[in-house]
Amino acid sequence: MTHDTIVLGAGMVGVGCALHLQARGQAVALLDRRAPGLETSYGNAGIIQREAIEPYALPRGLSFLLSGVTNRRVDVRYNAADAARMLGPLWSYYRNSAPAPLQKIAAEYETLIALSLETHQQLMHDAGANDLIGGQGYLMLFRTERELHSFHAVADQRATQGVNHIKLSSADVAQEEPSLKGRFAGAVRWTDPVAIRSPGDLVQRYAQLFEQRGGAVHLGEAMTLRRADAGTWQVDTASGHTLRARQVVVALGPWTTQLTSRFGYTAPVIPKRGYHMHYAPVPGQPLNCTVIDAEYGYVIAPMKKGLRLTTGAELANVDAPRNTAQIEAAEHIARQSFPLGQRVEPEPWMGTRPCMPDMKPVFGAVPEVPGLWCAFGHGHQGFTLGPVTGELLAAMMTGAVPRVDVRPFSPGRFG
C-alpha cells in the first residue's frame, strides 16, 4: 500500500491528475468516498467547453443586482444566511468582474481552455470512450433581437481568438430544432465544444483506463489523511488498509479546503450549487443538440437518461438544506419551449461547484506543507479542465516544465 502519490478525489479533476501522474511514471493510488464520477462531475451539462475562454463573471448591471435582491431569478439564487457569510469573497468576485481585471483574468484562463479539447480527446481515444460523444457544438438561444445582436459582438471577438461559431436566424433555429415551441430571435452555435451523453460515465471510463494501466482505485474517507514519520502521508481505505505516499494531491472540489485547513492552508471558496433533472423525450419531438437558454441561464441537454435540465447557480454551502425552487422555476419556463416529457427521477440531483473570487482554478503545491498539493476551484469548468489540470500539475510534481505559465493558478495567491 505504498505509492509515489495519493490523489484524493475521483471527480474529473482528480482522475485527470491520477492519469497524468501515472503517465509520468508515478505509482498512484486514487481514493474517494464514492466511486469515480458520482459527485459534481456527474451532474453538469456534459459540454467540453472549448469556447469558454472567459470565466463566468458576476454581472455588474443595476438591473441584474436589483432583480437578484428578490431571489426569484432562474439563473442565480442564494441562501440568505450563507450568502451573508460569503460577502467578502463575493465582493472580491464583483470587483474582479470589472472590465480591466476581467481582461487579465480571461487571458490567463484562456491558456487552460485552449488545451481542453486536445487533452480530453487523447484520453477519450485511449479509454475507448468516443461512444459517449453526443454531438459537436451547442446552441446559445436568444429570445430578443437586442440580446442576440449584443452577443454577436462577443462571438465575433472570440472568433479572433480562434473560437468558431455560426450565427443562426430565427428561421435557422426553427429548421435546426423543429421541436422547439414559440419563436426565438436566433442563436449562436458554438461549433468547437463537444457534448457528452453521460458526464459521470466519461469520468468512470477515465478511471477504468487508470486501473488498466496499473493504478489503484480505493474507497475511503479523505479526512483520515495525516502526516507520518519520515515525510510520508497516510490515509485509510474503507477496507481497513492504510495507503502511504510521499506526495498527496487534494482534489476534493468544494471539500478541498476543509481538509487542507487542517494543515494550515485555506482559500475563500464560493460554493455554487446546481441541480439537474432528467425528462423522458416526447415521441416524435427530438431535441437535436444541447441548448442554453441565454435569458434564463438553464441548459437542456440530450443525455443517456433522457433530456437533462440543469440550473444556473445557487449560492449556498455544501451542507445547506436542498431548495428545489430554482429547478422548478426553470422547468416551468423550459416546458413552454422544449419537448420535455415526464420526470424520470424521484427528485432532482444536486451538486456544488467550487468557485474562486478571481474565477481561476487553484492547483500547485500547498505553501509551507512539503508533499501536499491541491487542485480545485474550477467553478463551472471542472469537467472541461480536469485533464489539462492533471497534465500541468503532473509536470510540476515531477520536475518537468508545464506547457503554459502556471503561476496565475498557484495556491499561494490565497492564504
Side-chain angles (χ1 to χ4, degrees):
M1 292 297 173
T2 299
H3 302 79
D4 296 316
T5 304
I6 300 167
V7 177
L8 302 178
M12 183 60 85
V13 174
V15 173
C17 292
L19 276 165
H20 281 283
L21 284 163
Q22 183 184 59
R24 289 186 174 273
Q26 296 266 302
V28 183
L30 179 64
L31 179 140
D32 205 330
R33 62 185 179 184
R34 304 180 70 187
L38 293 183
E39 292 288 357
T40 306
S41 293
Y42 173 82
N44 57 77
I47 311 171
I48 301 172
Q49 289 192 248
R50 172 61 183 90
E51 90 297 346
I53 60 176
E54 183 176 295
Y56 286 97
L58 189 66
R60 295 169 61 84
L62 182 60
S63 62
F64 173 85
L65 297 175
L66 292 176
S67 64
V69 171
T70 66
N71 207 17
R72 297 177 63 86
R73 292 184 64 94
V74 175
D75 52 352
V76 179
R77 296 205 180 191
Y78 58 89
N79 175 299
D82 291 345
R85 287 189 286 268
M86 300 176 204
L87 283 180
L90 285 172
W91 175 242
S92 295
Y93 185 9
Y94 179 79
R95 288 189 291 109
N96 283 322
S97 298
L102 182 60
Q103 183 178 19
K104 180 177 185 297
I105 289 168
E108 296 165 343
Y109 192 83
E110 183 188 5
T111 63
L112 304 182
I113 290 292
L115 299 176
S116 59
L117 273 184
E118 171 193 331
T119 48
H120 264 288
Q121 286 168 342
Q122 183 61 56
L123 289 183
M124 282 193 284
H125 174 270
D126 294 348
N130 286 331
D131 61 299
L132 294 175
I133 296 176
Q136 191 79 26
Y138 72 90
L139 288 182
M140 182 76 77
L141 196 63
F142 292 87
R143 295 171 180 269
T144 68
E145 295 285 347
R146 176 176 171 274
E147 293 297 326
L148 174 65
H149 292 294
S150 176
F151 196 75
H152 281 173
V154 175
D156 289 340
Q157 174 58 41
R158 294 190 187 181
T160 67
Q161 299 169 275
V163 177
N164 299 299
H165 73 278
I166 299 172
K167 298 180 178 70
L168 302 179
S169 66
S170 179
D172 294 332
V173 171
Q175 183 174 4
E176 290 206 9
E177 294 291 348
S179 298
L180 292 182
K181 294 174 282 187
R183 182 187 179 279
F184 293 89
V188 168
R189 174 184 285 281
W190 297 113
T191 58
D192 296 314
V194 173
I196 301 298
R197 295 177 58 248
S198 179
D201 282 358
L202 185 61
V203 178
Q204 290 167 22
R205 296 281 186 91
Y206 289 174
Q208 290 165 9
L209 175 64
F210 169 71
E211 290 184 288
Q212 291 164 9
R213 291 174 169 175
V217 177
H218 299 273
L219 293 179
E221 179 50 67
M223 296 302 169
T224 64
L225 181 70
R226 55 197 179 274
R227 282 193 282 194
D229 295 334
T232 62
W233 295 87
Q234 297 182 353
V235 67
D236 299 330
T237 71
S239 61
H241 295 97
T242 298
L243 304 180
R244 298 174 178 84
R246 289 192 175 276
Q247 298 190 108
V248 175
V249 177
V250 185
L252 297 171
W255 298 278
T256 296
T257 56
Q258 291 182 22
L259 178 54
T260 61
S261 63
R262 290 172 40 198
F263 304 100
Y265 177 75
T266 189
V269 177
I270 300 171
K272 290 185 180 180
R273 299 202 309 193
Y275 298 81
H276 85 226
M277 172 58 72
H278 289 103
Y279 302 83
V282 176
Q285 299 183 45
L287 187 66
N288 296 318
C289 74
T290 298
V291 177
I292 296 181
D293 185 330
E295 181 175 348
Y296 293 104
Y298 63 83
V299 181
I300 303 287
M303 292 278 179
K304 186 173 72 172
K305 289 188 175 181
L307 293 179
R308 177 180 289 187
L309 167 65
T310 71
T311 64
E314 179 194 24
L315 299 174
N317 288 338
V318 177
D319 56 356
R322 294 167 61 93
N323 184 346
T324 61
Q326 187 179 26
I327 194 166
E328 288 166 359
E331 178 183 327
H332 174 73
I333 293 169
R335 284 192 179 280
Q336 299 172 34
S337 302
F338 294 90
L340 300 182
Q342 295 296 312
R343 289 186 171 190
V344 300
E345 295 156 324
E347 62 178 12
W349 177 92
M350 184 190 76
T352 305
R353 312 173 188 97
C355 303
M356 308 310 296
D358 62 3
M359 295 164 274
K360 296 180 297 187
V362 181
F363 57 88
V366 173
E368 301 181 7
V369 188
L372 188 61
W373 303 73
C374 63
F376 70 102
H378 293 74
H380 296 258
Q381 301 299 349
F383 185 73
T384 295
L385 295 176
V388 65
T389 297
E391 179 201 312
L392 298 173
L393 185 68
M396 297 164 65
M397 292 178 67
T398 57
V401 178
R403 281 199 282 171
V404 302
D405 184 1
V406 295
R407 289 174 296 179
F409 315 105
S410 169
R413 69 188 198 269
F414 300 113

